[in-house]
Amino acid sequence: MSNSSSLLAAVRDRGRRAAGRLVHRGWGLVQKVGAVSNRNPGPYRFRELGDGTKLAFPLGAVFNEQWITIGPFSIIGERVTISAGFLPGLDLGPEPIVRIGGGCVIGRGSHVVGHESITLGDDVWTGPYVYITDTAHSYHDTGLPIGKQWPRNAPVEIGSGSWIGTGAVILPGARLGRNVVVAAGSVVNGEVPDHAVVAGAPAKVVRSWSELDGWQPPLRHEPPAAIPEGVTAEQLRALIGWDLRLPGEGQAS
């Protein structure tokens, strides 16, 4: 390769790298500005959007947000759909349809689709692409397309502290207790007691806890080490790089 060709290739490489950096910086700025919070609600008017809560940009389908409440310090991932009712512009009555508690994390690409009542307690975390709905298509009328038949609704409740694994589906009428683990890919219907692990399609209890017997079957691994007593927020920030201050608090001295 001649010197001129080498020089031209080097210039093109530098140009592509510079363009790549510019695109990523620009997209980062778009994500930052487009994120929704109670201080930067954009076009959305949620019934309640708590302090410290953020919906990442780009959002999924969000409509009838006047019937949606999200508590404080929750994180809603990119492309998460949260909807109330069948379609935008409906009057859904005086009460919220979808209630998401404080400290929740909803993974990227998940759907929370409420027509009657969906309630997530505090500190409910999900993996990506989880589907939570309180409505199911009916197929009673064999002469009418299923998509045109009136659906069946049943309230959904997910207890505080629960973890919903990647790709799980929570069906109408499901009622999960506190600190329930739903394995990835599970399909959950019906009642799930507190402190249970469910897996499968349909999901079944595969492990449970009681004060008398502890975990049954017994856990196969030791619990992770707890944070040592006396560790300060400043030390945690230095260790993991998270800013643990509440909104409005000043810089650490």
Side-chain angles (χ1 to χ4, degrees):
M1 182 181 292
S2 66
N3 290 338
S4 59
S5 298
S6 298
L7 180 59
L8 181 59
V11 169
R12 286 174 176 171
D13 286 343
R14 289 182 180 178
R16 280 192 290 267
R17 288 196 294 270
R21 288 193 295 269
L22 182 62
V23 166
H24 283 280
R25 288 174 182 171
W27 179 243
L29 179 60
V30 168
Q31 288 181 302
K32 183 177 180 179
V33 173
V36 169
S37 67
N38 62 5
R39 298 185 180 184
N40 181 33
Y44 302 104
R45 297 296 179 265
F46 287 90
R47 174 76 62 92
E48 177 186 332
L49 195 59
D51 288 341
T53 285
K54 183 171 289 187
L55 286 75
F57 184 87
L59 284 68
V62 176
F63 60 80
N64 292 332
E65 67 274 11
Q66 302 94 326
W67 285 272
I68 298 171
T69 67
I70 307 177
F73 305 108
S74 290
I75 300 172
I76 311 300
E78 293 180 18
R79 305 184 190 280
V80 169
T81 287
I82 309 177
S83 63
F86 292 94
L87 47 86
L90 299 176
D91 184 348
L92 302 175
E95 298 298 324
I97 301 296
V98 175
R99 299 174 177 88
I100 298 174
C104 292
V105 177
I106 308 299
R108 162 198 296 265
S110 294
H111 289 65
V112 182
V113 179
H115 291 172
E116 182 174 329
S117 177
I118 295 178
T119 302
L120 277 62
D122 295 334
D123 302 306
V124 172
W125 289 28
T126 87
Y129 307 110
V130 167
Y131 195 93
I132 302 170
T133 185
D134 63 0
T135 188
H137 289 290
S138 177
Y139 51 88
H140 291 79
D141 188 341
T142 58
L144 188 66
I146 291 172
K148 295 183 178 180
Q149 297 189 39
W150 197 254
R152 297 176 292 106
N153 299 332
V156 169
E157 295 182 13
I158 300 177
S160 295
S162 293
W163 165 257
I164 314 298
T166 299
V169 178
I170 311 299
L171 293 174
R175 294 178 182 271
L176 283 62
R178 295 176 60 87
N179 282 42
V180 166
V181 175
V182 176
S186 298
V187 179
V188 183
N189 196 3
E191 301 275 346
V192 179
D194 294 349
H195 310 296
V197 180
V198 298
K204 300 182 183 301
V205 175
V206 296
R207 178 171 277 123
S208 58
W209 180 90
S210 70
E211 291 188 11
L212 180 62
D213 300 320
W215 284 105
Q216 296 297 327
L219 298 174
R220 298 190 297 268
H221 52 79
E222 294 296 323
I227 297 173
E229 189 174 347
V231 172
T232 66
E234 287 75 15
Q235 289 171 324
L236 282 175
R237 279 197 289 270
L239 178 64
I240 61 178
W242 288 2
D243 188 343
L244 304 179
R245 289 185 296 272
L246 301 178
E249 288 186 346
Q251 298 294 323
S253 56

